[in-house]
Amino acid sequence: MPHEVIMPALGMAQDSGLIVAWHKRPGDAVSEGDVLFEVETDKATMEVEAQTDGFLLQVRRDAGDDVPVGEVIAMIGDSKEDVQAEESPADAPLPADTDLPTGREVIMPALGMAQDSGLIVAWHKAPGDAVAAGDILFEVETDKSTMEVEAGHDGFVAALLAEAGEDAPVGEAIAIISADKPEAPVQRSRKSAPAAAPTAPPAATAPKAAPKAPVPATPPPPARAEVVSEHDRILASPKARRLALEQRLDLNRLVREGYPQPYHVKDLEILRSLPAEAAPGPSSGARRITAQVPSDGFSRFALWAAEQAGLQDDGALLAGLAGASLKSDGAVVAVETPVGTRHYSVPGRQFGDVAETDSGTAVDLVLRDLRSSRIGSVHLGPEDSPVLTVSARGEGFALTLECASHHLTASEAVALLSDFAGRMEQPLRHLL
Amino acid sequence: MREITLSQAVNEALAEEMRRDETVFIIGEDVAEAGTPFKVLSGLVEEFGTARVVDTPIAEPGFMGIAVGAAMTGTRPVVDLMFGDFIYLIMDQLCNQAAKTHYMSGGKLSVPLVLRTNLGATRRSAAQHSQSLHALVAHIPGLKVALPSSAYEAKGLMKTAIRDDNPVVIFEDKLMYQDKAPVPEEEYLIPFGEANVLREGSDITLIGTSSMVQVCQKAAEILGSEGISAEVIDPRTIVPLDEETLLASARKTSRVIVVDEGHQSFGVTGEIASRINEKAFYHLDAPVLRMGAMDVPVPFSPALEDITVPTPESVVENARRLVHGEMIHAA
């Protein structure tokens, strides 16, 4: 029975070994323990001994070759000639695996570091022997040491599927222990096993699968995780938030449109591509109308009021004119000038009844007096109350009414401004 | 350009520096006549003799202490620590003595010492010979930490380390000793604190150290085939750290994954990610992800060991999630 000489795994995680030198020549007689060859691994150079007595035959690899662990590099035969017959074991008629007795399989255990296979040194039980779970069944030699392996099951040795001296891949079934005494216990070598033995990969290819295998793939996540924002805080990346701020983009829009959070920079492109939101309805729009009047009417009136009626306060005059334009039974008008704001209660048409009131009162109308400034035209948008702005323009005044549509209807706004414009042009009408 | 292994590159660096400066010597277990760990030092004892390539007993605290003292007296020892895991044995000599002597002597003494050791799992070496412990020493002020990612890097960083007047710890990836890379024949040094941008990209930055640089490179290739443009950066030294290059890339791509083979918790990935968060926050479109080794002792089972460290596939998976704007709760 020829014995295979394989490249042993001498080092940890060793995939291959470099044959430094052969110490025996083909045809030489060798004894178990003789140094056969020297092998260099990533760590050291070591001498490898023959595992059996016989003759060195079929040296397939030369000094200098780098050989994968587990590859057969030579044979040790019983005589100088006995090798050829053993060359093609696969051609021999093979018993089907179904011929094997039933029972518990005993596999080649992984005992050493980075061990891909184990050499069966000896069987301690013969086919048909009774065996207890704690009995030593066989001895196995790994790259590091020789160890005894227990049977693991009570019963009878129904089959030994590898012979002493054979190298079996880790995980391969090498024996069968049956519960009942087998009628025809099997003993064979690995070579005589059926060719289609998918139990384990050949030793030489096993290491390829080892290094840094991928992490088991996590199931692909669904398109995007739906995230509900807590307390109305929008989830967005720092960069997306910063760019939105810089580019005056409103992330709330993405929320309203139903795009899932969190938002990233590329979601800003979606935001930019969204059509403008629907035009605001009549209830939420802004109104702005302007008028122009000559200024001399008001100027003359102010002089007259100061001299004849003792009304020195321009603000009160403007508040009275504006308040009267509202056509209500009484109004509070806030007059804003660049120096401050004063509130006036305007109960009716009499200027004498216009009185300053405290600033806490609800304001019906704001009169923004910008006559002393350089500002000619305003477009400030609706505020809390309708706003009448008086500013200087050329020889006269520009009058601007701005309000929200819910403050005044369109016709009320037109009526208010045209009334106020008329009073500013001919303040004496106010007295009529 | 010729290609040599990382092992040969380190050997050349040591030999060149020993020829240039006679105060450089090597000390450690099995460095001379007893055979050399991972065969890196082959031929050095023959050239420089046993006075400069010094075999020691198996006594890490002893030879590390000898080296620190020797460095204080004007020599430049290169200490060979066979496995990075043994660093626990020399913590006092390294962290209390070597790292602090220059400071505590008011600058009168310095410790120009290089500690050569290694990191890296998936070598089937089990929990006590597979750790990547560079974060431990990077935490100690006074120690520089270099993490070569190829033969070229290993040679240039080693020569710089030997010429440095302060203690430097170099962690080589023990799985990379036989990996070849182009290395010029002529002398070169790689300065500390200058990151290497291996691949430019616009969608995501992959910062990898040591063994994880290859992982990031492979991940970037896969991502490229999917239309995701990944930038790959190797910091080369984590102390000093080239923040500027890392931040510039983070600002450009707005997404970052930091990949390192040390345990993820309280490690290198957390430190780098945190600096990017602090200094490039308003440029980030996704959380900076850490990918380190699992927080477990490295398993002996090959199947388990392989899933404890980041792989190109796991980096690709996380990169896709960041680029597609998925909600990241934890890495």
Side-chain angles (χ1 to χ4, degrees):
Chain A
M1 173 69 225
H3 170 82
E4 288 178 349
V5 178
I6 62 163
M7 173 58 65
L10 298 167
M12 296 174 274
Q14 178 197 343
D15 291 337
S16 65
L18 180 76
I19 299 171
V20 178
W22 280 99
H23 286 218
K24 299 283 180 185
R25 297 165 160 281
D28 282 1
V30 299
S31 304
E32 184 176 342
D34 284 356
V35 174
L36 271 186
F37 59 101
E38 271 178 71
V39 63
E40 181 177 325
T41 69
D42 63 345
K43 185 138 187 206
T45 301
M46 296 175 90
E47 293 175 339
V48 179
E49 297 173 357
Q51 305 289 338
T52 186
D53 299 336
F55 295 89
L56 184 64
L57 301 164
Q58 288 195 17
V59 174
R60 301 172 192 177
R61 294 292 210 150
D62 300 324
D65 285 357
D66 198 31
V67 182
V69 167
E71 183 174 316
V72 177
I73 57 175
M75 306 292 284
I76 295 176
D78 296 335
S79 71
K80 288 188 182 186
E81 285 81 26
D82 78 338
V83 180
Q84 268 63 19
E86 301 286 340
E87 261 309 272
S88 47
D91 294 342
L94 297 166
D97 251 5
T98 48
D99 291 347
L100 290 176
T102 54
R104 313 289 292 268
E105 286 186 344
V106 177
I107 61 165
M108 172 58 69
L111 299 166
M113 295 175 273
Q115 180 196 341
D116 296 311
S117 63
L119 180 77
I120 299 166
V121 177
W123 288 103
H124 287 217
K125 298 285 177 186
D129 282 1
V131 65
D135 288 354
I136 303 301
L137 185 61
F138 61 101
E139 273 178 69
V140 63
E141 181 177 322
T142 68
D143 58 1
K144 185 131 188 213
S145 60
T146 301
M147 297 174 90
E148 294 175 332
V149 180
E150 296 176 359
H153 309 286
D154 294 323
F156 296 85
V157 177
L160 297 182
L161 305 175
E163 292 184 345
E166 281 191 317
D167 199 66
V170 167
E172 181 173 280
I174 55 172
I176 294 173
I177 293 175
S178 60
D180 304 317
K181 188 167 175 64
E183 291 174 6
V186 172
Q187 178 163 28
R188 71 182 191 200
S189 69
R190 289 189 63 241
K191 288 190 166 193
S192 64
T199 41
T205 60
K208 295 226 173 5
K212 306 202 175 182
V215 172
T218 46
R224 288 179 65 154
E226 195 83 27
V227 177
V228 180
S229 58
E230 293 169 29
H231 310 302
D232 295 321
R233 178 170 167 79
I234 297 172
L235 300 180
S237 79
K239 187 176 184 181
R241 224 174 254 288
R242 175 175 60 83
L243 291 177
L245 197 65
E246 286 171 2
Q247 298 170 17
R248 296 171 184 272
L249 295 167
D250 182 9
L251 293 171
N252 284 297
R253 183 78 198 281
L254 286 171
V255 179
R256 287 197 295 274
E257 299 286 338
Y259 287 92
Q261 299 178 42
Y263 299 132
H264 299 87
V265 172
K266 71 175 180 193
D267 295 312
L268 300 181
E269 288 166 29
I270 298 173
L271 187 51
R272 283 188 211 99
S273 68
L274 288 175
E277 280 188 293
S283 62
S284 63
R287 305 192 193 285
R288 177 177 182 269
I289 40 181
T290 58
Q292 182 136 18
V293 295
S295 60
D296 51 350
F298 180 78
S299 302
R300 280 202 302 274
F301 173 69
L303 273 174
W304 176 85
E307 287 170 8
Q308 302 296 318
L311 296 169
Q312 307 277 358
D313 184 357
D314 263 15
L317 295 181
L318 287 170
L321 295 171
S325 307
L326 278 172
K327 299 194 189 312
S328 64
D329 293 338
V332 173
V333 178
V335 178
E336 285 182 25
T337 66
V339 295
T341 301
R342 298 166 80 176
H343 290 69
Y344 296 93
S345 164
V346 185
R349 294 192 164 205
Q350 291 304 314
F351 275 109
D353 296 337
V354 174
E356 204 169 339
T357 182
D358 63 63
S359 59
T361 325
V363 172
D364 297 305
L365 183 69
V366 174
L367 192 134
R368 193 164 283 145
D369 180 5
L370 300 180
R371 288 177 298 155
S372 63
S373 84
R374 293 270 180 201
I375 295 169
S377 170
V378 293
H379 195 151
L380 297 170
E383 297 174 33
D384 291 343
S385 314
V387 179
L388 271 170
T389 303
V390 181
S391 53
R393 180 179 293 170
E395 294 297 305
F397 296 134
L399 308 177
T400 307
L401 171 64
E402 289 189 280
C403 66
S405 55
H406 65 266
H407 291 144
L408 299 166
T409 66
S411 56
E412 283 169 348
V414 168
L416 171 60
L417 188 64
S418 66
D419 192 277
F420 181 63
R423 288 172 198 276
M424 286 294 284
E425 188 174 2
Q426 294 183 303
L428 288 172
R429 281 174 60 188
H430 190 71
L431 301 171
L432 298 175
Chain B
M1 196 186 296
R2 66 171 182 151
E3 295 203 342
I4 61 174
T5 63
L6 189 148
S7 171
Q8 290 166 326
V10 173
N11 185 301
E12 280 190 3
L14 292 167
E16 287 174 18
E17 292 305 300
M18 290 175 82
R19 286 177 206 128
R20 185 187 61 81
D21 180 351
E22 64 179 14
T23 66
V24 178
F25 72 97
I26 297 170
I27 184 168
E29 294 158 2
D30 295 357
V31 297
E33 287 152 315
T36 84
F38 300 105
K39 296 183 303 184
V40 174
L41 309 177
S42 305
L44 294 182
V45 69
E46 287 80 359
E47 178 174 354
F48 300 102
T50 51
R52 292 181 69 193
V53 184
V54 184
D55 268 334
T56 68
I58 301 176
E60 287 82 1
F63 67 73
M64 183 65 188
I66 288 169
V68 174
M72 289 181 200
T73 65
T75 63
R76 291 183 178 267
V78 178
V79 179
D80 190 299
L81 190 66
M82 195 181 291
F83 280 87
D85 310 70
F86 306 158
I87 213 160
Y88 298 125
L89 290 160
I90 57 161
M91 272 301 192
D92 185 68
Q93 288 77 3
L94 180 64
C95 299
N96 264 337
Q97 312 305 330
K100 294 175 174 61
T101 296
H102 187 69
Y103 175 79
M104 295 187 73
S105 68
K108 287 181 179 164
L109 294 172
S110 59
V111 183
L113 171 147
V114 176
L115 177 64
R116 253 197 79 228
T117 188
N118 50 42
L119 55 71
T122 71
R123 197 173 171 275
R124 315 301 175 233
S125 305
Q128 295 160 325
H129 294 77
S130 302
Q131 298 168 87
S132 300
L133 299 175
H134 44 298
L136 288 185
V137 288
H139 187 66
I140 307 302
L143 299 178
K144 294 174 184 172
V145 182
L147 304 175
S149 60
S150 72
Y152 175 84
E153 301 286 325
K155 183 173 179 185
L157 290 170
M158 176 60 74
K159 287 170 72 84
T160 303
I162 291 173
R163 297 183 193 193
D164 199 294
D165 287 336
N166 290 294
V168 178
V169 188
I170 292 193
F171 288 86
E172 294 153 8
D173 174 15
K174 55 175 137 8
L175 278 99
M176 225 188 272
Y177 280 122
Q178 299 310 316
D179 289 3
K180 289 188 174 180
V183 176
E185 310 257 2
E186 57 274 16
E187 174 165 85
Y188 65 96
L189 299 174
I190 296 176
F192 286 0
E194 278 188 22
N196 184 22
V197 180
L198 289 106
R199 180 185 174 116
E200 300 213 350
S202 56
D203 295 330
I204 188 163
T205 301
L206 306 177
I207 299 171
T209 60
S210 181
S211 50
M212 295 295 108
V213 173
Q214 285 182 1
V215 167
C216 291
Q217 288 269 65
K218 284 178 192 155
E221 278 170 34
I222 299 170
L223 289 167
S225 69
E226 298 177 8
I228 296 172
S229 163
E231 183 147 303
V232 177
I233 303 183
D234 171 11
R236 285 176 163 156
T237 53
I238 51 173
V239 182
L241 183 67
D242 181 2
E243 262 187 19
E244 204 175 309
T245 299
L246 304 183
L247 290 172
S249 180
R251 292 191 183 107
K252 179 173 75 169
T253 65
S254 74
R255 303 178 189 93
V256 182
I257 301 179
V258 191
V259 192
D260 176 87
E261 207 179 329
H263 294 301
Q264 181 163 300
S265 291
F266 309 98
V268 171
T269 55
E271 176 62 28
I272 293 177
S274 182
R275 293 203 203 185
I276 292 169
N277 270 327
E278 285 169 13
K279 297 178 182 177
F281 182 76
Y282 295 103
H283 300 269
L284 295 176
D285 202 23
V288 179
L289 284 199
R290 297 166 301 147
M291 290 184 72
M294 278 184 199
D295 294 325
V296 295
V298 177
F300 185 37
S301 150
L304 294 179
E305 181 177 24
D306 288 343
I307 61 171
T308 62
V309 293
T311 60
E313 292 76 14
S314 59
V315 173
V316 165
E317 179 64 26
N318 276 330
R320 280 194 205 116
R321 296 178 67 203
L322 291 188
V323 171
H324 294 154
E326 277 176 39
M327 190 74 177
I328 305 288
H329 292 288

